[in-house]
Amino acid sequence: MDDEFYMRRALELARLTVGQTRPNPSVGCILVGDGRVVGTGTHLQAGGPHAEAFAVRQAGDRARGATAYVTLEPCAHHGRTPPCADLLIEAGVARIVVATADENPLVAGKGIDRLRKAGIAVEVGLLAEEARRINEAFFLFHRERRPRVTLKAAVSLDGRIATHTGESRWISGPESRTDAHLLRHGTDAILVGIGTVLADDPELTARLPNGSVQPLRVVLDSRLRTPPASKVVNGAAPTVIFTTQSADPAATAAFEASGAEVVYLGERISVAAVLDRLAARNIQSLLVEGGATIHGAFLDAGLFDEIVLYVAPRLIGGIDAPCAFGGTGIASVAAAPELEIRDITRTGDDVRIVAVPKRRLPCSPAS
């Protein structure tokens, strides 16, 4: 039996639902009996059946004696759905190939252990890195208790995000902007600073032709200068504004009337404090679309996990034209974070570059 072939098909199923299952991971499952696929499934949304449940239901009696290929360790706890480990045992599955173990403390090896104790042959680790990349935010959140942070910007070929007059629409082309909406669709929250709100009045929603799952909109605004009529506080998606004690408390009422929430963080807004508050809301992934100041703050804090740059074939120039990263910056080249280029893709006339800090993804804890 070609284990890798079937696991790749399960991974394809998992990728189909990235962004729509939060806070749950995206999972795919394939059931194979007598050399044929007898059941397939993917988790569609939180609270709904898991991938294994769909696959077992489709397979029916053909699940008995079959091999299950699952991209993530089957759960062993009662949540909004019954444990998938128990479901596979009751269905009579004889062998299970798991891409990667789960790091959620509610699971974390318990599902694999239960399956093995039931006499089922379980193998763990096939295409583990690919499986973990599908749910990188989920794994990081349960490992570090903070959202996975992606810093995104559209820049000219000379690294500018706007002209010296502040004009930035549109540096990137329509294909890049559509791709950016896919990023928004796949993330739990989008963050900008007050500078971006005042300059661009963005709506910060995911707008895809077939519909989108809307992320939480986050604004960092130390003096609460966000205009109450801004698009970012309309009812298209939930909004939270982080501010400080220097803001006028009387201004809070106007935002709350629009459905936006205002959170006071003390004397200053720190990136770490914002991530802590978002983690408490079960936000597992954060897309930062701010300007140089906001991006610089995350760079200075060392709190980022991915960079996505859309590079347009334009030259802007100008000493006063802002670049993508401000802040204090790195003192020496040797101290600069070393990145690994993960992907380079053409998006229309532009080039999308995806880079991550040079560190290996952790291995699956159970085998």
Side-chain angles (χ1 to χ4, degrees), residues 11-22 24-27 42-44 133-136 182-187 208 213:
L11 290 169
E12 289 171 4
L13 289 173
R15 291 189 185 98
L16 291 175
T17 62
V18 170
Q20 70 183 51
T21 63
R22 53 185 179 250
N24 292 354
S26 294
V27 181
T42 185
H43 183 42
L44 298 176
R133 282 191 176 183
I134 292 173
N135 292 301
E136 281 182 301
L182 283 170
L183 279 180
R184 290 180 175 184
H185 171 78
T187 197
L208 297 175
V213 179

mmCIF file of all heavy atoms in Angstrom, residues 11-22 24-27 42-44 133-136 182-187 208 213:
data_model
loop_
_atom_site.group_PDB
_atom_site.id
_atom_site.type_symbol
_atom_site.label_atom_id
_atom_site.label_comp_id
_atom_site.label_asym_id
_atom_site.label_seq_id
_atom_site.Cartn_x
_atom_site.Cartn_y
_atom_site.Cartn_z
ATOM 1 N N LEU A 11 -3.625 15.290 3.119
ATOM 2 C CA LEU A 11 -3.118 16.653 3.299
ATOM 3 C C LEU A 11 -3.827 17.628 2.359
ATOM 4 O O LEU A 11 -4.112 18.776 2.738
ATOM 5 C CB LEU A 11 -1.606 16.693 3.050
ATOM 6 C CG LEU A 11 -0.737 15.997 4.102
ATOM 7 C CD1 LEU A 11 0.701 15.882 3.610
ATOM 8 C CD2 LEU A 11 -0.784 16.741 5.428
ATOM 9 N N GLU A 12 -4.129 17.189 1.148
ATOM 10 C CA GLU A 12 -4.871 18.047 0.217
ATOM 11 C C GLU A 12 -6.248 18.384 0.782
ATOM 12 O O GLU A 12 -6.722 19.520 0.657
ATOM 13 C CB GLU A 12 -5.015 17.336 -1.134
ATOM 14 C CG GLU A 12 -3.720 17.233 -1.921
ATOM 15 C CD GLU A 12 -3.865 16.345 -3.145
ATOM 16 O OE1 GLU A 12 -5.000 15.876 -3.415
ATOM 17 O OE2 GLU A 12 -2.847 16.118 -3.839
ATOM 18 N N LEU A 13 -6.889 17.408 1.406
ATOM 19 C CA LEU A 13 -8.191 17.661 2.031
ATOM 20 C C LEU A 13 -8.066 18.674 3.164
ATOM 21 O O LEU A 13 -8.915 19.566 3.314
ATOM 22 C CB LEU A 13 -8.783 16.353 2.556
ATOM 23 C CG LEU A 13 -9.269 15.343 1.520
ATOM 24 C CD1 LEU A 13 -9.666 14.041 2.208
ATOM 25 C CD2 LEU A 13 -10.438 15.902 0.723
ATOM 26 N N ALA A 14 -7.016 18.539 3.964
ATOM 27 C CA ALA A 14 -6.821 19.464 5.088
ATOM 28 C C ALA A 14 -6.618 20.888 4.587
ATOM 29 O O ALA A 14 -7.133 21.852 5.184
ATOM 30 C CB ALA A 14 -5.625 19.017 5.926
ATOM 31 N N ARG A 15 -5.884 21.045 3.501
ATOM 32 C CA ARG A 15 -5.599 22.398 2.984
ATOM 33 C C ARG A 15 -6.867 23.104 2.510
ATOM 34 O O ARG A 15 -6.920 24.340 2.490
ATOM 35 C CB ARG A 15 -4.588 22.320 1.844
ATOM 36 C CG ARG A 15 -3.182 21.917 2.292
ATOM 37 C CD ARG A 15 -2.179 22.065 1.150
ATOM 38 N NE ARG A 15 -0.872 21.564 1.552
ATOM 39 C CZ ARG A 15 -0.412 20.349 1.264
ATOM 40 N NH1 ARG A 15 -1.171 19.517 0.533
ATOM 41 N NH2 ARG A 15 0.781 19.969 1.663
ATOM 42 N N LEU A 16 -7.873 22.348 2.121
ATOM 43 C CA LEU A 16 -9.102 22.948 1.598
ATOM 44 C C LEU A 16 -9.822 23.823 2.622
ATOM 45 O O LEU A 16 -10.556 24.742 2.254
ATOM 46 C CB LEU A 16 -10.060 21.850 1.112
ATOM 47 C CG LEU A 16 -9.644 21.060 -0.133
ATOM 48 C CD1 LEU A 16 -10.635 19.931 -0.393
ATOM 49 C CD2 LEU A 16 -9.553 21.980 -1.346
ATOM 50 N N THR A 17 -9.618 23.545 3.903
ATOM 51 C CA THR A 17 -10.398 24.252 4.925
ATOM 52 C C THR A 17 -9.549 25.184 5.789
ATOM 53 O O THR A 17 -10.008 25.637 6.839
ATOM 54 C CB THR A 17 -11.135 23.254 5.831
ATOM 55 O OG1 THR A 17 -10.173 22.427 6.510
ATOM 56 C CG2 THR A 17 -12.067 22.376 5.019
ATOM 57 N N VAL A 18 -8.333 25.477 5.355
ATOM 58 C CA VAL A 18 -7.489 26.393 6.122
ATOM 59 C C VAL A 18 -8.196 27.746 6.237
ATOM 60 O O VAL A 18 -8.632 28.326 5.247
ATOM 61 C CB VAL A 18 -6.113 26.567 5.444
ATOM 62 C CG1 VAL A 18 -5.343 27.713 6.105
ATOM 63 C CG2 VAL A 18 -5.309 25.282 5.543
ATOM 64 N N GLY A 19 -8.340 28.227 7.461
ATOM 65 C CA GLY A 19 -8.980 29.514 7.695
ATOM 66 C C GLY A 19 -10.426 29.437 8.112
ATOM 67 O O GLY A 19 -10.962 30.417 8.636
ATOM 68 N N GLN A 20 -11.078 28.294 7.925
ATOM 69 C CA GLN A 20 -12.502 28.231 8.247
ATOM 70 C C GLN A 20 -12.812 27.328 9.434
ATOM 71 O O GLN A 20 -13.971 27.179 9.813
ATOM 72 C CB GLN A 20 -13.305 27.779 7.023
ATOM 73 C CG GLN A 20 -13.108 26.335 6.612
ATOM 74 C CD GLN A 20 -13.886 25.994 5.354
ATOM 75 O OE1 GLN A 20 -13.798 26.705 4.348
ATOM 76 N NE2 GLN A 20 -14.659 24.916 5.386
ATOM 77 N N THR A 21 -11.786 26.714 10.038
ATOM 78 C CA THR A 21 -12.039 25.810 11.162
ATOM 79 C C THR A 21 -11.641 26.409 12.498
ATOM 80 O O THR A 21 -11.785 25.762 13.525
ATOM 81 C CB THR A 21 -11.254 24.491 10.978
ATOM 82 O OG1 THR A 21 -9.850 24.774 10.996
ATOM 83 C CG2 THR A 21 -11.629 23.818 9.676
ATOM 84 N N ARG A 22 -11.095 27.617 12.503
ATOM 85 C CA ARG A 22 -10.553 28.167 13.733
ATOM 86 C C ARG A 22 -11.605 28.223 14.841
ATOM 87 O O ARG A 22 -12.778 28.470 14.556
ATOM 88 C CB ARG A 22 -9.954 29.559 13.484
ATOM 89 C CG ARG A 22 -10.841 30.585 12.805
ATOM 90 C CD ARG A 22 -10.001 31.839 12.548
ATOM 91 N NE ARG A 22 -10.762 32.871 11.889
ATOM 92 C CZ ARG A 22 -10.569 33.251 10.635
ATOM 93 N NH1 ARG A 22 -9.654 32.684 9.905
ATOM 94 N NH2 ARG A 22 -11.289 34.226 10.108
ATOM 95 N N ASN A 24 -10.070 25.481 15.734
ATOM 96 C CA ASN A 24 -9.626 24.106 15.521
ATOM 97 C C ASN A 24 -8.627 24.031 14.364
ATOM 98 O O ASN A 24 -8.626 24.901 13.489
ATOM 99 C CB ASN A 24 -10.823 23.203 15.212
ATOM 100 C CG ASN A 24 -11.747 23.024 16.398
ATOM 101 O OD1 ASN A 24 -11.452 23.475 17.499
ATOM 102 N ND2 ASN A 24 -12.874 22.380 16.179
ATOM 103 N N PRO A 25 -7.828 22.992 14.319
ATOM 104 C CA PRO A 25 -6.906 22.809 13.191
ATOM 105 C C PRO A 25 -7.646 22.294 11.966
ATOM 106 O O PRO A 25 -8.765 21.770 12.058
ATOM 107 C CB PRO A 25 -5.917 21.763 13.717
ATOM 108 C CG PRO A 25 -6.723 20.964 14.695
ATOM 109 C CD PRO A 25 -7.656 21.952 15.362
ATOM 110 N N SER A 26 -7.021 22.426 10.797
ATOM 111 C CA SER A 26 -7.543 21.844 9.562
ATOM 112 C C SER A 26 -7.004 20.418 9.452
ATOM 113 O O SER A 26 -5.797 20.209 9.524
ATOM 114 C CB SER A 26 -7.102 22.680 8.357
ATOM 115 O OG SER A 26 -7.692 23.964 8.407
ATOM 116 N N VAL A 27 -7.890 19.459 9.275
ATOM 117 C CA VAL A 27 -7.508 18.041 9.291
ATOM 118 C C VAL A 27 -8.164 17.315 8.120
ATOM 119 O O VAL A 27 -9.322 17.576 7.784
ATOM 120 C CB VAL A 27 -7.927 17.364 10.613
ATOM 121 C CG1 VAL A 27 -7.504 15.896 10.633
ATOM 122 C CG2 VAL A 27 -7.333 18.100 11.805
ATOM 123 N N THR A 42 -12.936 15.855 5.786
ATOM 124 C CA THR A 42 -12.155 16.989 6.259
ATOM 125 C C THR A 42 -12.994 17.763 7.259
ATOM 126 O O THR A 42 -14.226 17.799 7.150
ATOM 127 C CB THR A 42 -11.728 17.904 5.087
ATOM 128 O OG1 THR A 42 -10.875 18.942 5.579
ATOM 129 C CG2 THR A 42 -12.924 18.555 4.404
ATOM 130 N N HIS A 43 -12.344 18.329 8.240
ATOM 131 C CA HIS A 43 -13.055 19.121 9.239
ATOM 132 C C HIS A 43 -13.464 20.439 8.597
ATOM 133 O O HIS A 43 -12.621 21.164 8.053
ATOM 134 C CB HIS A 43 -12.127 19.358 10.433
ATOM 135 C CG HIS A 43 -12.767 20.099 11.559
ATOM 136 N ND1 HIS A 43 -14.055 19.854 11.987
ATOM 137 C CD2 HIS A 43 -12.293 21.097 12.369
ATOM 138 C CE1 HIS A 43 -14.342 20.651 13.004
ATOM 139 N NE2 HIS A 43 -13.305 21.418 13.243
ATOM 140 N N LEU A 44 -14.758 20.760 8.628
ATOM 141 C CA LEU A 44 -15.264 21.935 7.920
ATOM 142 C C LEU A 44 -15.343 23.174 8.786
ATOM 143 O O LEU A 44 -15.050 24.285 8.331
ATOM 144 C CB LEU A 44 -16.647 21.630 7.334
ATOM 145 C CG LEU A 44 -16.695 20.504 6.297
ATOM 146 C CD1 LEU A 44 -18.135 20.238 5.871
ATOM 147 C CD2 LEU A 44 -15.841 20.876 5.083
ATOM 148 N N ARG A 133 2.964 22.357 8.808
ATOM 149 C CA ARG A 133 2.895 23.665 8.151
ATOM 150 C C ARG A 133 1.456 24.090 7.887
ATOM 151 O O ARG A 133 1.145 25.282 7.910
ATOM 152 C CB ARG A 133 3.688 23.640 6.844
ATOM 153 C CG ARG A 133 5.192 23.750 7.065
ATOM 154 C CD ARG A 133 5.933 23.997 5.770
ATOM 155 N NE ARG A 133 7.357 24.189 6.012
ATOM 156 C CZ ARG A 133 8.245 24.479 5.076
ATOM 157 N NH1 ARG A 133 7.847 24.600 3.813
ATOM 158 N NH2 ARG A 133 9.516 24.638 5.379
ATOM 159 N N ILE A 134 0.588 23.132 7.630
ATOM 160 C CA ILE A 134 -0.818 23.468 7.414
ATOM 161 C C ILE A 134 -1.405 24.127 8.654
ATOM 162 O O ILE A 134 -2.238 25.032 8.563
ATOM 163 C CB ILE A 134 -1.614 22.204 7.041
ATOM 164 C CG1 ILE A 134 -1.182 21.692 5.663
ATOM 165 C CG2 ILE A 134 -3.119 22.471 7.060
ATOM 166 C CD1 ILE A 134 -1.786 20.358 5.284
ATOM 167 N N ASN A 135 -0.968 23.685 9.826
ATOM 168 C CA ASN A 135 -1.511 24.186 11.096
ATOM 169 C C ASN A 135 -0.426 24.828 11.966
ATOM 170 O O ASN A 135 -0.414 24.657 13.181
ATOM 171 C CB ASN A 135 -2.183 23.036 11.853
ATOM 172 C CG ASN A 135 -3.437 22.536 11.172
ATOM 173 O OD1 ASN A 135 -4.390 23.288 10.967
ATOM 174 N ND2 ASN A 135 -3.452 21.265 10.798
ATOM 175 N N GLU A 136 0.472 25.580 11.337
ATOM 176 C CA GLU A 136 1.577 26.180 12.093
ATOM 177 C C GLU A 136 1.089 27.053 13.243
ATOM 178 O O GLU A 136 1.656 27.033 14.339
ATOM 179 C CB GLU A 136 2.468 26.999 11.150
ATOM 180 C CG GLU A 136 3.428 26.156 10.340
ATOM 181 C CD GLU A 136 4.319 26.990 9.463
ATOM 182 O OE1 GLU A 136 3.787 27.732 8.615
ATOM 183 O OE2 GLU A 136 5.555 26.909 9.616
ATOM 184 N N LEU A 182 -6.732 36.342 0.506
ATOM 185 C CA LEU A 182 -6.635 34.943 0.923
ATOM 186 C C LEU A 182 -5.900 34.833 2.251
ATOM 187 O O LEU A 182 -6.263 34.018 3.113
ATOM 188 C CB LEU A 182 -5.903 34.126 -0.147
ATOM 189 C CG LEU A 182 -6.697 33.760 -1.395
ATOM 190 C CD1 LEU A 182 -5.779 33.185 -2.462
ATOM 191 C CD2 LEU A 182 -7.815 32.780 -1.070
ATOM 192 N N LEU A 183 -4.864 35.652 2.426
ATOM 193 C CA LEU A 183 -4.155 35.677 3.711
ATOM 194 C C LEU A 183 -5.101 36.094 4.836
ATOM 195 O O LEU A 183 -5.098 35.508 5.916
ATOM 196 C CB LEU A 183 -2.988 36.665 3.651
ATOM 197 C CG LEU A 183 -1.673 36.215 3.011
ATOM 198 C CD1 LEU A 183 -0.663 37.353 3.064
ATOM 199 C CD2 LEU A 183 -1.116 34.992 3.708
ATOM 200 N N ARG A 184 -5.886 37.122 4.583
ATOM 201 C CA ARG A 184 -6.831 37.582 5.606
ATOM 202 C C ARG A 184 -7.848 36.494 5.944
ATOM 203 O O ARG A 184 -8.179 36.278 7.113
ATOM 204 C CB ARG A 184 -7.558 38.840 5.119
ATOM 205 C CG ARG A 184 -6.694 40.088 5.044
ATOM 206 C CD ARG A 184 -7.505 41.270 4.556
ATOM 207 N NE ARG A 184 -6.745 42.515 4.580
ATOM 208 C CZ ARG A 184 -7.247 43.698 4.273
ATOM 209 N NH1 ARG A 184 -8.521 43.794 3.912
ATOM 210 N NH2 ARG A 184 -6.491 44.788 4.329
ATOM 211 N N HIS A 185 -8.343 35.824 4.913
ATOM 212 C CA HIS A 185 -9.320 34.758 5.113
ATOM 213 C C HIS A 185 -8.753 33.651 6.001
ATOM 214 O O HIS A 185 -9.480 33.041 6.786
ATOM 215 C CB HIS A 185 -9.719 34.187 3.745
ATOM 216 C CG HIS A 185 -10.549 32.952 3.810
ATOM 217 N ND1 HIS A 185 -11.899 32.963 4.092
ATOM 218 C CD2 HIS A 185 -10.222 31.637 3.627
ATOM 219 C CE1 HIS A 185 -12.360 31.726 4.081
ATOM 220 N NE2 HIS A 185 -11.367 30.904 3.806
ATOM 221 N N GLY A 186 -7.447 33.416 5.887
ATOM 222 C CA GLY A 186 -6.825 32.323 6.625
ATOM 223 C C GLY A 186 -6.271 32.691 7.976
ATOM 224 O O GLY A 186 -5.602 31.871 8.613
ATOM 225 N N THR A 187 -6.551 33.900 8.472
ATOM 226 C CA THR A 187 -5.988 34.320 9.748
ATOM 227 C C THR A 187 -7.084 34.653 10.752
ATOM 228 O O THR A 187 -8.228 34.952 10.375
ATOM 229 C CB THR A 187 -5.059 35.542 9.552
ATOM 230 O OG1 THR A 187 -4.228 35.705 10.688
ATOM 231 C CG2 THR A 187 -5.868 36.819 9.336
ATOM 232 N N LEU A 208 -13.426 37.784 -0.685
ATOM 233 C CA LEU A 208 -13.210 36.798 -1.726
ATOM 234 C C LEU A 208 -14.519 36.558 -2.477
ATOM 235 O O LEU A 208 -15.608 36.699 -1.904
ATOM 236 C CB LEU A 208 -12.707 35.482 -1.131
ATOM 237 C CG LEU A 208 -11.338 35.544 -0.425
ATOM 238 C CD1 LEU A 208 -11.030 34.210 0.222
ATOM 239 C CD2 LEU A 208 -10.240 35.928 -1.406
ATOM 240 N N VAL A 213 -14.359 34.036 5.707
ATOM 241 C CA VAL A 213 -14.480 34.038 7.160
ATOM 242 C C VAL A 213 -13.781 35.305 7.645
ATOM 243 O O VAL A 213 -12.610 35.533 7.346
ATOM 244 C CB VAL A 213 -13.826 32.787 7.776
ATOM 245 C CG1 VAL A 213 -13.932 32.826 9.292
ATOM 246 C CG2 VAL A 213 -14.470 31.525 7.222
#
